[in-house]
Amino acid sequence: MSADIAFIPRSYLFVPGDRPERFGKAFGAGADAVVVDLEDAVAPDRKDAARAALAAWRAAGQERGGRLVVRVNDDASPWFADDLDMLRTLGPCEVMLPKAESARQLERLAAALPAGTGVIALIESARGVLAAEAVAAAPGVARLAFGTLDYALDLGLDDDPRGLLYPASRIALASRAAGLPPPVAGVTAGFNDDAALREDFGLARACGFGAKLCVHPRQVAPVHAMLAPSAEQRDWAARVVAAAGAGGGAVQVDGKMVDRPVLVRANAILARGPA
């Protein structure tokens, strides 16, 4: 299913669903989307309170800027049905489904949600990676995301990032083949570790990812900066577009021919804009 989205988020900032006092701060942190988490960040005995807090906060109209994403509990959990009941009355938002492993899961979810609700399918397991193509093509799916920490746990991986190259590439290929935006990279747990953030997202970018899940507001600006083209890239792109627009047959920039793929890349760089 192709995603029809005017603006494609670069950053998704998590906030615990049972901490409504943090919702406003999260929306004011500059992230393109805020993920109110009803799953991992909320203890089992706090699930009801988290749903009630989100519903009350939304009803009070306190949302300012960014887009709301709700990460529900997985569809095999005892809390999933109640999450869906709350979403039917919450109003417009996107939904993040953890442990996405089959198209059938997404079909059932799309049927249970208000029409037009976009779903971010969070792939976190070997089963999910092997089903990435079917998940990406399922009804209602707007984007894929890669839950790297849970995936590493599922496969018993250590800290060697090479273990994430194949699944990340497969998720990116599945997204592209389904006409979805580039997928969303997993979290970097050490929110004070800028080097780890750059390394994690650099690997994801090399595989074709175009956004990142963030666990702290201070991660948002570096993620945006890493997605923005450099001054040198923008200068090159501007010269390519100008040369192509001048016409006159074959065109060269910096001693290289400007053919259609080069022009498309140059326009894409200019469209990304600064951080």
Side-chain angles (χ1 to χ4, degrees), residues 54-81:
L54 174 56
W57 183 82
R58 191 70 182 280
Q62 300 181 63
E63 184 178 341
R64 297 290 186 275
R67 69 174 67 191
L68 172 64
V69 180
V70 180
R71 180 161 77 168
V72 297
N73 292 278
D74 73 86
D75 62 347
S77 74
W79 308 289
F80 180 68

Side-chain angles (χ1 to χ4, degrees), residues 72-96:
V72 297
N73 292 278
D74 73 86
D75 62 347
S77 74
W79 308 289
F80 180 68
D82 289 334
D83 289 348
L84 291 185
D85 286 343
M86 185 270 299
L87 287 170
R88 293 187 186 102
T89 62
L90 187 66
C93 68
E94 288 185 306
V95 175
M96 181 178 291

Side-chain angles (χ1 to χ4, degrees), residues 1-10 12 32-33 67 69 93-94 116-120 140-144 179-182 184:
M1 174 183 175
S2 293
D4 184 14
I5 302 175
F7 175 73
I8 300 172
R10 302 158 295 174
Y12 293 79
D32 294 334
R67 69 174 67 191
V69 180
C93 68
E94 288 185 306
T117 302
V119 176
I120 300 172
V141 173
R143 202 167 195 180
L144 300 184
L180 300 179
V184 186

Side-chain angles (χ1 to χ4, degrees), residues 123-160:
I123 293 176
E124 307 182 88
S125 65
R127 287 180 180 273
V129 170
L130 294 179
E133 294 84 355
V135 169
V141 173
R143 202 167 195 180
L144 300 184
F146 186 18
T148 48
L149 299 183
D150 281 312
Y151 176 83
L153 182 63
D154 187 38
L155 269 74
L157 303 181
D158 57 22
D159 294 330
D160 190 331

Side-chain angles (χ1 to χ4, degrees), residues 211-238:
K212 186 166 175 61
L213 303 176
C214 300
V215 295
H216 193 277
R218 77 181 308 273
Q219 295 179 323
V220 172
V223 165
H224 291 182
M226 289 183 69
L227 284 165
S230 65
E232 292 78 11
Q233 288 175 316
R234 289 184 60 79
D235 174 70
W236 170 84

